[in-house]
Amino acid sequence: MTRHLLQVFRRYNWKDNILAYALLLPSLIFLVIFTFYPMIKVLDLSFYESVMNERRFAGLELYGHVLRDEVFLKVLRNNMLLALVTVPVSILLALYMAVWVNGKLRGRSLIRAAFFYPTLIPMIAIANIWLFIYTPDYGLLDKFLGLFGIEGPNWLGDPAWVLVSMMGMLIWKESGYFMIFFLAGLQVLPKEIYQAAELDGAGPLRKFRTITLPLVMPTTLFVLIIATTNSFKLVDHLYIMTKGGPNNASNLLLYHIYETAFSFWDMGKASVLTVILLVILLVISVFYYGYLDKRIHY
Amino acid sequence: MKKFSLLIIAMMLVLSACGKSGSNNGAGDNSVASAAEQGSGGQENNKTSGNGEEKPVELSFYFPVAVGGPITGFIDKLAADFHQENPAITVKPIYAGSYQDTMTKVVTAVQGGNSPDLAVLLSTELYSLLEMNALEELTPRFSQDYFGGFYEAFMSNTKSGDQVWSVPFQRSTIVMYYNKDMFKAANLDPEKAPANWSELRDFAQKLTVKDSAGKVSQWGLEIPSTGYQYWMLQALSLQTGTNIVSNDGTEVYFNKPEVKEALQFYTDLGRKDKVMPEGVLEWATVPSDFISGKTAMMFHTTGNLSKVKSDAKFDFGVAYLPANKNYGSPTGGGNLYVFKDIPEERKAVAIKFIEFLTQPERVAQWSIDTGYVGTTKAAYDTELLKNYVAGFPQAAVARDQMEYASSELSTYQNGQVTKLFNDNIQSALLGEITPEEALEKSQQQADDILKKYRK
């Protein structure tokens, strides 16, 4: 009897699995073609020195080269800095804007649209707009600062300012996008809790700190992951605005990979850089999902 | 779980197999084009063979757009005109983005075993393409007289040793643009541009205008320093008496004393003389600065001549770059390359198309439309260009300067060598290191890369 039941159970489970696999198959195919296969391929390529037509097995030699490379270290430092600044700032700004436009205020949808519109413009167009904003002297920013008698620096031409300028643009572009997620998160929060809190005499700040903030944490985690990966994926803007210059002061990892692969035709080194980028993103995701995720109340 | 991982492995095997074959036929429109040609070939063949004409051929032609103006329109028209003259041949122009994007597409196609037939690429890509063994040698395909018709300075970037690998097409050089109205305002003769470096410095001083608060409202001079700073420095080095590259692409001379003098001058203009904005000047905004009156003089490519002509609301002059010991300017721009890995009949047709493109009338029209320098002496003898130059003498400056022009920096691993040189020049311009250090460092880094190409 039990054996018979077990058999039925097994057969049933197997069929169930087949269906599940069949349903997963389409996504799986794409995942394999566009994610797993390239990842394995790039790992393989990273052990070969390949420039133009020549190809030679180099083992871990290229990793050594890259890790000692001055330009790579600078690029890595820039990218870390960019992530450390833009991620928290754009998330806080997004949350602030979301709370703002979630309230009852006049012209709410217009403001929402205004905050969201940077997300709708193509990357290249954004880069060109900001190129104009940052033009010294007659650019929008310098014209504005000129009203207060301030003379702006050469925003994109000064190594001390170029990364800051890129950060400004990135925050502008990202916070509107993240705002939408927070807005969605805020709108599903139960009204009763707020009403109860109001009865207890809680002010807006306290309501935000003890109710809103903990309840939007799942959204925050999601946004955090997107924001961090985005800060490592910046490439279009660099291509248009600075080409990583001056003297690599605004060069970032993905652009450096592009440059190594398609200007220097050094596929070996580009593959090593790609593997490093993958490891960085993997470590970040593991940290977020393995550590932060457990500390969030859903 | 076991089953699941088995499934993944099985799928990966299948897909890696597909991946390989997929990358072979997915690499370019070329295979599609040739398939279509074969497919429709029989039909069209019947039609044309009645007239006793040759077999229909379709040619894929990759080209970039690097200067302002409706270049794609001009190229399409050229292809259409050629088709008119040779009904059996269809040239399919494929706009491929910037020079760099075009190079990326071409290299990907070549490495995928799927060469385009013909492409316009930077003349400096020669050694990269040679290293890939991608090019068809053109020396035996044309007569010596044909090559002799081009300006010598343009031909030097087409050759490695005595072998010719490409044909000059959209070529440029650096010239000086200056604002005549500002010259008048500064009590300078608007018909006389600075002829040497000391005059340049002197004029630039007079043309730099400060407002009451001490803020500069008009700069004397701008020399761009992004993207092509190596080109600008090369010009200054040529004027001081040396080129920075050997003609076989294996040696650079970045640390010669003449180059040091040149980089010192370049940095001093901004940091010491204060006649040029300090730090890095964006390649693309320098012409805008000139057109909007922010700077009185600029060094820029002659490829922007048509744009400046149509946009500037003031009287402007074009002049030779000022001399130090002598005049000098490197050439730049793109050449026509034919690829090796295509059938002989398409090679022959590609050569025919190149001959068509370089006929004097067409070179003349192309120069007028785009601002690029006419590549042949014959083009300047046409009525078309003669009349144009008579009405717009600025257009002749680049041609006259050809006499002092030299080949552009082009080496093996050109992307990498140019980039390290560019970075170090910027570093010097920003005052992070001295010109001397920048050049010693560049020389040593370049030697590291190039030593394996020396015999």
Side-chain angles (χ1 to χ4, degrees), chain A residues 169-182:
Chain A
M169 181 201 65
L170 195 63
I171 290 168
W172 169 84
K173 184 174 128 359
E174 299 270 90
S175 47
Y177 179 49
F178 299 149
M179 182 201 73
I180 289 298
F181 294 112
F182 280 120

Side-chain angles (χ1 to χ4, degrees), chain A residues 56-101:
Chain A
R56 177 179 72 83
F57 184 74
L60 290 173
E61 194 187 311
L62 289 177
Y63 284 85
H65 276 303
V66 167
L67 292 175
R68 281 193 305 274
D69 182 13
E70 218 180 292
V71 175
F72 168 72
L73 295 176
K74 196 169 184 179
V75 165
L76 197 63
R77 201 189 58 108
N78 286 343
N79 218 144
M80 296 286 178
L81 220 61
L82 187 89
L84 282 176
V85 174
T86 58
V87 171
V89 173
S90 55
I91 289 179
L92 286 177
L93 209 62
L95 189 57
Y96 179 76
M97 294 192 302
V99 171
W100 190 32
V101 297

Side-chain angles (χ1 to χ4, degrees), chain B residues 409-431:
Chain B
L409 174 64
S410 167
T411 64
Y412 285 96
Q413 299 283 303
N414 193 53
Q416 209 151 1
V417 171
T418 305
K419 159 88 178 168
L420 71 88
F421 193 35
N422 268 343
D423 283 350
N424 289 324
I425 296 171
Q426 273 186 346
S427 201
L429 289 174
L430 293 162

